[in-house]
Amino acid sequence: MRPRILIADDEPTIRKLLKLEFERAAFLVDLANDGNMALTLLQNVRYDAAVLDISMPVCDGLQVLRAIRQQGQPMIVVMMTAYGSIDGAVTAMKMQADDYITKPFDPPDLVEKVEQIRRVRQRMAQLGCPHAVQTPTLIGKSAAIVQIRTTVEKIRNRNTTVLITGESGTGKGVVAKYLHLTSDRRSLPFTHIDCASLPHNLIESELFGYEKGAFTGATAQKKGKLELAGQGTLFLDEIGTLSPELQAKLLVALQERRFTRLGGTQDIPIEARIVAATNENLEQSVADGTFRADLYYRLSIVCIECPPLRNHREDIPELARTFIRSHMEKTGVALERVDDDIFDVLMAYDWPGNVRELENTLESAVVLSDGRHLHASDLPKKITSCAGGHSACASPLSLENQEIMAILAALEKHGGHREHTAQELGISRRSLQYKLAKYHLNK
C-alpha cells in the first residue's frame, strides 16, 4: 500500500515542488495551505507522515503538531523552518516532532529524511518493538512505578503542590511532565526552571520578572516564569539549591498565591500548579538549617519518590527496549537484531547514574554497533564485567560516599575542570559547586 503524506505550507511553490518529489517516491500526497486546512484534513484522513511549515498564518505548524500528538497519532512528523529560526525547531522537537529541516533545502533531502524514519520504524516493528504512540507514559511495571502512577492519577487534576524526590538521574523531570500531560492542564504551558543552573542574582528575576528601571540593565519590562506559566505547570528543579533569601520570598508568594515583579507594585496572581524536585534530603537540610522548614512543608503537601534503578531492576528490559528504539530513530541506525543476553547484562549492573546512565549507555551502544546487530559486547566494559552477577559490582559504600567518589573521579579525569566534570556527572555546574561545598571538596 502506498504511504500517504500531508504537506502543509503557505508558499504555493514549495507545496508544488514537494508534491512532485513525494509522488516520484510513490507517496499519495495531500496539500494544505495553512494550519486550519491541515487540521481539517487530519480529522478525515489517516496519514503515515506529515511535513509541516512552522510559520503559517492563522494556525502555525506547532499548533498542528500539538493537535497530532494530543490525539495520539503515531504518524511521522517533520517540521520545516526558515534559516535562523532554530528556536522553533527546538520547540518542535520537544513537542515530539520526529525531525526538522531548515529552508532552503533540496526536496530530495526531505524525501530521504522521511524515508529513513519509515525504514527505521519498519525495522523496529520487525524486532517486536513498534513505534510507541506519542502519549505520556511512565515506563515500568514494578511496584514503585505503579505507585507513582497511582499517586499521579489521584492528584493530576488538583492544584496541590507536589515535591518529587530521588537520586540524580532517576527521572524526576519525567514524572513532573507526566503529571502535567495527564492532567487537565495538558494544553497549557509546562514551564521548567533549573534553580541550580542560574547564578543566585538571576534566579529572582527569572522567577518573578522585573519592571523597566528596576536595576541597572533593566531596559524593558520582563515577565517571570511564575507569570509566564499562566494556568499551566511551573516545574522548579533542584529546589534545594535556592538561597535562604529567595526561599523566604518564594514561601510568601506560594502562601499568598501572588507576587510582584522586581521594582513593581502591582500584585500578580499565581495561577500555575507548582511542582518542585530535588535530589537532596530536604529533611536533613531543614535539620542543618540550610532549608526553611515552612517552605519544605509548603512544597511537600504531596511527595513522590523516584526510586533508584537498582531498586526496580525488573523495569530495565522495558526501559532498554524503549531507549534502543529511540536512539535508532535519532541516529538512523536500523538494527536488524538485538541480542537477548544484553538485557541480562544490563540487569546485573547497579546503575549509580540511574535511568539517565542507562539511556546514555544504550545510545553509545547503538552508535558503536555494526549497524545491523546489537551485541552485549557493544556495551562498556564496566557494565559487561558485572554479567556474572551484580553482587560483585555492588558498592559497599553509602550512597553519599559513592557520590563523593564519583565526583572525585570525574574531577581527576578532567584535571579539576568544573564544567567538564559537571557534564561527566550529568548535573549542572551550579549543582556541582553545591556538592563540592556540601562535601567540603572545594580544595
Side-chain angles (χ1 to χ4, degrees):
M1 183 181 296
R2 294 171 63 187
R4 183 177 289 273
I5 189 168
L6 170 64
I7 297 171
D9 195 301
D10 58 331
E11 298 183 44
T13 303
I14 289 180
R15 291 199 305 272
K16 182 178 179 179
L17 286 173
L18 293 182
K19 184 176 188 295
L20 290 172
E21 202 65 43
F22 275 100
E23 285 179 341
R24 286 195 189 103
F27 280 79
L28 297 171
V29 181
D30 290 340
L31 302 177
N33 55 24
D34 61 35
N36 282 340
M37 185 176 178
L39 290 173
T40 300
L41 288 169
L42 285 163
Q43 290 175 354
N44 300 306
V45 182
R46 184 176 182 84
Y47 291 99
D48 299 286
V51 174
L52 310 172
D53 187 26
I54 287 183
S55 179
M56 291 186 289
V58 184
C59 175
D60 63 28
L62 294 176
Q63 291 171 283
V64 178
L65 171 62
R66 182 180 292 111
I68 290 171
R69 294 315 187 208
Q70 285 178 350
Q71 292 167 13
Q73 297 189 43
M75 73 177 69
I76 295 166
V77 180
V78 176
M79 308 300 292
M80 297 181 289
T81 181
Y83 177 77
S85 301
I86 298 302
D87 286 347
V90 172
T91 300
M93 297 304 287
K94 289 180 178 179
M95 292 169 62
Q96 300 177 326
D98 291 283
D99 209 338
Y100 71 92
I101 193 166
T102 303
K103 295 179 179 179
F105 57 83
D106 290 330
D109 291 343
L110 177 58
V111 174
E112 175 56 28
K113 191 180 286 285
V114 173
E115 288 280 35
Q116 184 183 61
I117 297 171
R118 288 186 69 232
R119 287 195 297 269
V120 171
R121 289 198 181 179
Q122 288 168 356
R123 190 64 56 80
M124 289 191 302
Q126 293 167 1
L127 290 170
C129 51
H131 181 76
V133 175
Q134 302 278 8
T135 53
T137 186
L138 280 180
I139 299 168
K141 298 181 178 65
S142 64
I145 300 302
V146 170
Q147 179 59 53
I148 293 175
R149 286 199 202 96
T150 301
T151 302
V152 169
E153 179 65 26
K154 290 178 180 178
I155 65 171
R156 60 192 176 94
N157 292 330
R158 308 294 182 190
N159 198 32
T160 310
T161 303
V162 179
L163 177 65
I164 305 172
T165 63
E167 295 176 15
S168 179
T170 51
K172 297 183 291 295
V174 173
V175 173
K177 184 153 283 189
Y178 176 72
L179 173 60
H180 174 76
L181 291 174
T182 55
S183 74
D184 53 10
R185 301 172 188 260
R186 67 181 66 88
S187 61
L188 299 170
F190 176 86
T191 306
H192 179 192
I193 179 169
D194 187 345
C195 301
S197 66
L198 295 171
H200 287 292
N201 60 336
L202 291 182
I203 294 180
E204 185 173 7
S205 61
E206 191 73 13
L207 268 175
F208 299 101
Y210 52 80
E211 298 290 351
K212 180 179 179 180
F215 50 82
T216 302
T219 57
Q221 182 194 82
K222 178 185 176 181
K223 294 181 179 180
K225 294 292 179 68
L226 279 168
E227 188 174 355
L228 292 172
Q231 296 179 334
T233 300
L234 177 62
F235 178 43
L236 301 173
D237 203 1
E238 304 255 27
I239 192 73
T241 62
L242 287 182
S243 67
E245 296 79 10
L246 197 51
Q247 289 177 35
K249 186 163 185 177
L250 179 61
L251 173 65
V252 172
L254 295 181
Q255 286 176 332
E256 303 296 328
R257 299 294 298 180
R258 60 185 60 251
F259 67 97
T260 58
R261 300 190 195 105
L262 297 181
T265 57
Q266 178 185 358
D267 276 349
I268 300 170
I270 296 176
E271 300 177 299
R273 175 185 213 154
I274 308 298
V275 178
T278 181
N279 58 12
E280 306 295 336
N281 184 336
L282 287 190
E283 290 186 349
Q284 185 60 50
S285 298
V286 169
D288 294 341
T290 58
F291 199 85
R292 293 182 64 109
D294 42 9
L295 178 57
Y296 170 67
Y297 297 133
R298 172 64 60 179
L299 292 171
S300 59
I301 293 175
V302 173
C303 190
I304 296 176
E305 183 177 358
C306 293
L309 186 54
R310 61 186 172 276
N311 289 355
H312 60 115
R313 295 174 191 269
E314 62 267 41
D315 292 328
I316 289 176
E318 186 180 358
L319 285 163
R321 290 187 183 94
T322 301
F323 293 143
I324 290 170
R325 179 182 65 226
S326 172
H327 294 309
M328 283 171 63
E329 288 192 296
K330 288 179 181 178
T331 63
V333 176
L335 295 170
E336 297 173 5
R337 181 180 171 190
V338 177
D339 279 353
D340 289 339
D341 60 355
I342 280 182
F343 305 110
D344 295 328
V345 173
L346 295 175
M347 291 181 70
Y349 182 63
D350 259 1
W351 300 107
N354 294 298
V355 179
R356 183 187 294 124
E357 184 184 5
L358 174 64
E359 181 176 11
N360 292 341
T361 296
L362 290 169
E363 180 177 10
S364 171
V366 169
V367 171
L368 294 176
S369 71
D370 61 14
R372 299 184 304 277
H373 190 173
L374 190 64
H375 303 271
S377 59
D378 294 318
L379 298 169
K381 288 184 178 179
K382 69 174 182 179
I383 293 173
T384 56
S385 64
C386 297
H390 71 264
S391 59
C393 302
S395 172
L397 300 175
S398 68
L399 292 178
E400 182 174 289
N401 283 335
Q402 287 183 53
E403 185 169 55
I404 291 172
M405 295 299 290
I407 291 171
L408 289 174
L411 281 169
E412 183 177 357
K413 176 180 177 181
H414 296 288
H417 193 289
R418 302 294 174 87
E419 188 68 36
H420 294 167
T421 297
Q423 291 174 359
E424 170 87 9
L425 296 169
I427 60 178
S428 68
R429 181 185 173 92
R430 185 146 176 259
S431 289
L432 175 62
Q433 292 171 332
Y434 175 82
K435 292 177 186 295
L436 292 175
K438 175 183 176 181
Y439 297 132
H440 308 289
L441 301 177
N442 282 314
K443 295 183 181 180

